[in-house]
Amino acid sequence: MNYQDEFRDSRIVKGIAAHIAELAAKAGRTMTFMEVCGTHTMAIYQYGLRGLLPPQVRLISGPGCPVCVTPAGYVDKAVAYSRLSGVIVATFGDMLRVPGSSSSLMEERARGADVRVVYSPLDAVKLAERNRDRCVIFLGVGFETTTPTVAGSIISAQQLGLANYFVLGSHRTIPKPMEVLTADPELGLDGYICPAHVSAIIGADAYRPLAEQFNIPCVVTGFEPTDVMQGVQMLVRQVVERVSRVEIQYSRVVKPEGNRKACEVLEEVFEPSDAEWRGIGVIPGSGLAIREKYAAFDAERAVSVRVEPLREHAGCRCGDILRGKITPADCPLFAKGCTPEAPVGACMVSSEGTCAAAYKYGI
Amino acid sequence: MNKDLILLGHGSGGKLSHQLLDELIIPTLSGTPVSGQNDAAVITHDGRRLAFTTDSYVVDPIFFPGGDIGSLAVHGTVNDLAMVGAQPLCISVGLILEEGFSRHDLRLILESMRRAADRAGVTIATGDTKVVARGSADRIFINTAGIGVFEHELELGGGNAGEGDRIIVSGTVGDHGIAVLANREGLELETEVLSDSAPLNGLVAEILREGGDAVHVLRDPTRGGVATTLKEIALQSQVSVTLLERSIPVHPQVRGVCAILGLDPLYVANEGKLLAIVAPDAAERVLERMRIHPLGKDAAVIGGVTAAEAGRVRMETVAGGMRGVEMLAGEQLPRIC
Ligand code: SF4
């Protein structure tokens, strides 16, 4: 048995499920927990974990997929950049197929735009090094997990003296929207499965204000099936005991204080800003913008481009999905007008999107 | 979405490829909108059955751990013939070379093709070479076509899976795709993952000798991987398939790379693996026979066929939950073969 298998053993998972059922029966009511990390969304679908939970425990997905929460206008801007001559757009693969108002990066690539898939922003810096006569624009889309590496890429571009590396940023922080969603009486959330990777950077203490001021249980949870089940068990126990605190299930990776070094790199390059979230709207202080000091690397400030007027797709309910208001099956387009081959909304495109997960792994 | 554009995903072997075939290519070329293609066509001439197939190779990089574009092009066509139960007889080779390509590399590729053909027992009977201007192709593209003959009366096809059948995979899944990808992206791995590219006709002969007409379907899960292939079979045979994730063999390195890159090994291409769908009473015997063959030593039963809910593929996950399995959507890895 290797390292991974031990966290995926069905006997252990089912044992935890039995404990959860026992505890939940004590609570005597249904409870709803939200995960706010795309990797959790995927893991829950991928391992079929919902089917193992008792009927009193409901898991819903929130705004955990960075590609999904990025508004359509961002894609339009990326498309506009890709149409400029002398520009290479570098991106994580997930952004390629996200539909903008009238096109996507994949379509632009088929028409001749130079769009490259990279696995890390540092690969984009290397591209810029090798193509000094062209502008490389990296699409920085992500939460606190990705942002430090983007910050690192800007710092190394500066050290290399590159004047042709730019970042089109859509960087966000996760705790702020959690506050907004907790306050929504319609959702009636009973607890959060807090992200694993993000928390490894920002630290579990980042959820303290949330747990304390909004009286909502928070458990930082890993991605393996036994992790998720244990995280749910800890949440149910808090509900039964009527307490709200931050607990760390994923203690083999996450510390209360997080990763100071990564945060320092992030803070060197980025500062808090307001950000628009698809489906939620503008949340003050929930974004990260490139500091003035590094403005030369900010695509929006350094490379001007004309963007087509925004046209949202009628009927797409990504916004409601991201707020946890509906599940994919509630969207009239799901698996009919909207499939991974012909996606209408970002939630069907991203490998971490809730609609994509439900389509791919649903039973 | 602009419907006129051909996208990379149309070549992924997944759902978009199927759409292009079913909506445009097959109806235009043959006049019949047949869905449910097999790896090779079986034609009857003068009362004799012949198998015929073709495939093009555009893999990047052209040399990768465990193989190269030349051996891959021979194995691919040999395997397509083998999957309908035919013994490959001869193949053709079409080369498209980019101006400026190295003669040295071409020689290495040709020598590798020759070795692959010898190993598979096929003759390279005919061929063609074209050179295009720099930039009009990327170094070298190869097309191969092949003819196979039948030494038995058995009829194999994606439409023959039946209730109760067992599903056997001949070894670890995802090796080829990850070997090519890791090499292309310069991923540094502790131990190198090798492509599984190999001719499967020998293994197929063993399977058919042991299983006879209890062998219902043979398929090599290339682009789109095991998941896409099983979904195709479930649709063609109008049956449902249930997999047991725990029993699917995956090389630990492949699993590791997949975890890092967010890929699912079930969707990653194989070039030397096959899926055999076999009647339940013969499954154990066929499995034992496969394990004796070097290309089947890691063979395993990974699931079964049930009659309810046509076209469904489901999997009991390692965690004990159930989930659905769909075809690959969009492009997972372009230029993998
Ligand atoms: S199914 Fe498609 S249209 Fe409906 S919410 Fe999801 S992404 Fe949007």
Side-chain angles (χ1 to χ4, degrees):
Chain A
M1 204 191 262
N2 68 23
Y3 176 75
Q4 279 171 331
D5 291 338
E6 157 191 352
F7 297 105
R8 294 176 180 177
D9 188 321
S10 63
R11 278 166 312 177
I12 302 175
V13 171
K14 285 182 176 158
I16 305 172
H19 277 135
I20 293 175
E22 247 170 65
L23 271 174
K26 270 187 215 157
R29 66 171 179 95
T30 58
M31 50 201 108
T32 304
F33 303 124
M34 179 182 265
E35 89 273 354
V36 287
C37 159
T39 316
H40 280 141
T41 307
M42 287 315 275
I44 290 166
Y45 275 102
Q46 192 182 343
Y47 294 108
L49 298 183
R50 274 196 184 82
L52 300 174
L53 292 171
Q56 299 98 320
V57 177
R58 214 172 127 243
L59 298 187
I60 62 171
S61 307
C65 154
V67 170
C68 306
V69 296
T70 297
Y74 179 88
V75 177
D76 290 344
K77 201 169 280 172
V79 162
Y81 277 129
S82 78
R83 288 175 177 163
L84 296 181
S85 66
V87 164
I88 300 173
V89 170
T91 175
F92 296 137
D94 258 13
M95 282 301 290
L96 271 187
R97 295 189 299 134
V98 180
S101 294
S102 70
S103 183
S104 67
L105 288 167
M106 187 161 71
E107 280 188 40
E108 293 308 314
R109 190 177 64 184
R111 287 201 184 89
D114 197 345
V115 181
R116 314 263 182 110
V117 172
V118 292
Y119 290 99
S120 140
L122 287 172
D123 293 340
V125 174
K126 282 188 206 143
L127 261 180
E129 240 189 314
R130 284 198 303 265
N131 296 277
R132 295 214 182 222
D133 52 335
R134 302 173 68 189
C135 296
V136 172
I137 299 184
F138 175 73
L139 306 185
V141 173
F143 292 124
E144 295 94 325
T145 15
T146 322
T147 318
T149 58
V150 178
S153 79
I154 289 177
I155 292 171
S156 74
Q158 191 187 44
Q159 285 164 353
L160 290 165
L162 291 177
N164 63 332
Y165 176 70
F166 308 94
V167 172
L168 178 61
S170 176
H171 299 102
R172 289 149 206 283
T173 58
I174 197 72
K176 285 272 191 258
M178 290 168 78
E179 285 175 16
V180 175
L181 294 173
T182 312
D184 185 338
E186 212 185 289
L187 276 179
L189 289 183
D190 296 293
Y192 280 110
I193 298 175
C194 297
H197 287 155
V198 165
S199 308
I201 308 285
I202 63 176
D205 283 348
Y207 307 102
R208 269 224 191 142
L210 186 68
E212 284 161 12
Q213 287 160 28
F214 293 82
N215 290 322
I216 186 144
C218 290
V219 176
V220 176
T221 306
F223 304 125
E224 295 293 343
T226 52
D227 290 330
V228 175
M229 295 298 279
Q230 228 171 50
V232 171
Q233 186 185 359
M234 291 160 84
L235 284 168
V236 175
R237 177 164 296 132
Q238 287 200 39
V239 171
V240 171
E241 290 172 2
R242 295 173 192 280
V243 294
S244 316
R245 54 173 179 253
V246 178
E247 289 182 281
I248 308 179
Q249 180 278 332
Y250 197 38
S251 52
R252 58 187 190 275
V253 173
V254 176
K255 304 281 162 275
E257 67 283 1
N259 179 340
R260 260 330 295 163
K261 228 169 138 198
C263 290
E264 275 161 22
V265 177
L266 188 155
E267 282 155 22
E268 163 67 22
V269 178
F270 290 94
E271 62 189 351
S273 67
D274 298 348
E276 188 194 339
W277 296 62
R278 192 195 300 255
I280 302 176
V282 174
I283 305 175
S286 68
L288 289 167
I290 297 173
R291 286 183 193 276
E292 189 55 43
K293 201 167 140 192
Y294 293 98
F297 298 95
D298 184 350
E300 286 186 278
R301 277 180 277 186
V303 188
S304 64
V305 70
R306 268 195 38 208
V307 184
E308 63 187 306
L310 190 67
R311 239 178 355 130
E312 288 279 4
H313 294 270
C316 175
R317 303 199 48 195
C318 273
D320 292 330
I321 296 272
L322 294 166
R323 273 180 301 157
K325 295 269 160 128
I326 63 167
T327 60
D330 300 326
C331 170
L333 296 179
F334 179 73
K336 298 185 186 86
C338 178
T339 59
E341 304 75 61
V344 175
C347 305
M348 187 58 97
V349 179
S350 167
S351 61
E352 299 192 327
T354 307
C355 298
Y359 185 90
K360 194 168 166 205
Y361 296 131
I363 47 170
Chain B
M1 191 155 90
N2 185 328
K3 284 267 181 188
D4 189 55
L5 292 178
I6 296 294
L7 305 172
L8 268 178
H10 285 116
S12 68
K15 229 168 174 176
L16 278 178
S17 305
H18 279 260
Q19 278 172 10
L20 189 67
L21 271 174
D22 288 342
E23 288 167 13
L24 183 62
I25 299 179
I26 294 177
T28 314
L29 290 180
S30 73
T32 38
V34 237
S35 173
Q37 307 92 20
N38 288 314
D39 290 309
V42 178
I43 37 185
T44 309
H45 183 69
D46 267 354
R48 283 196 58 167
R49 288 195 303 158
L50 286 177
F52 183 41
T53 192
T54 183
D55 216 329
S56 301
Y57 296 84
V58 297
V59 66
D60 173 33
I62 52 181
F63 299 98
F64 48 83
D68 57 73
I69 190 170
S71 53
L72 189 68
V74 173
H75 295 153
T77 287
V78 163
N79 292 348
D80 282 349
L81 294 170
M83 291 310 128
V84 296
Q87 193 52 44
L89 195 64
C90 58
I91 63 172
S92 70
V93 173
L95 302 172
I96 297 172
L97 307 175
E98 185 192 15
E99 177 189 19
F101 185 59
S102 137
R103 250 180 116 103
H104 171 76
D105 286 353
L106 180 58
R107 174 184 298 279
L108 291 178
I109 289 167
L110 294 173
E111 284 169 356
S112 160
M113 292 186 92
R114 177 62 200 272
R115 275 195 304 274
D118 288 347
R119 180 175 172 204
V122 292
T123 328
I124 298 177
T126 182
D128 173 57
T129 308
K130 297 279 190 298
V131 180
V132 298
R134 191 182 277 276
S136 302
D138 186 7
R139 291 161 293 164
I140 177 169
F141 295 156
I142 302 180
N143 172 275
T144 51
I147 294 176
V149 291
F150 290 86
E151 291 161 354
H152 51 72
E153 303 287 304
L154 304 171
E155 284 187 30
L156 297 163
N160 300 346
E163 183 167 15
D165 285 356
R166 314 298 297 152
I167 300 166
I168 305 173
V169 69
S170 64
T172 51
V173 307
D175 300 1
H176 175 74
I178 295 304
V180 170
L181 185 76
N183 191 264
R184 180 158 81 205
E185 300 302 329
L187 298 183
E188 277 160 32
L189 306 177
E190 278 168 44
T191 51
E192 204 169 40
V193 177
L194 297 184
S195 163
D196 57 357
S197 176
L200 292 167
N201 50 332
L203 180 62
V204 167
E206 294 287 326
I207 292 172
L208 294 180
R209 212 168 291 143
E210 184 67 51
D213 60 7
V215 182
H216 296 159
V217 185
L218 292 176
R219 270 287 173 83
D220 57 337
T222 52
R223 284 173 308 170
V226 168
T228 305
T229 304
L230 285 174
K231 180 80 184 178
E232 284 168 6
I233 295 171
L235 286 168
Q236 267 178 278
S237 298
Q238 289 294 296
V239 291
S240 76
V241 162
T242 306
L243 298 175
L244 198 58
E245 187 171 25
R246 198 177 330 123
S247 57
I248 302 173
V250 184
H251 193 289
Q253 252 331 320
V254 169
R255 192 165 5 176
V257 175
C258 282
I260 295 167
L261 300 180
L263 300 171
D264 182 340
L266 267 192
Y267 291 87
V268 178
N270 309 278
E271 291 291 341
K273 295 289 153 43
L274 61 80
L275 290 163
I277 302 191
V278 183
D281 47 349
E284 209 41 52
R285 278 190 289 129
V286 170
L287 180 69
E288 286 312 315
R289 179 64 87 98
M290 286 172 77
R291 284 188 173 153
I292 298 169
H293 194 281
L295 292 177
K297 65 180 187 347
D298 297 323
V301 172
I302 59 169
V305 178
T306 51
E309 285 197 89
R312 277 289 218 165
V313 181
R314 245 189 290 254
M315 180 156 84
E316 186 188 320
T317 71
V318 280
M322 286 298 276
R323 65 135 144 135
V325 175
E326 279 299 321
M327 266 188 207
L328 173 66
E331 52 177 311
Q332 184 166 15
L333 310 166
R335 293 189 64 185
I336 216 74
C337 61

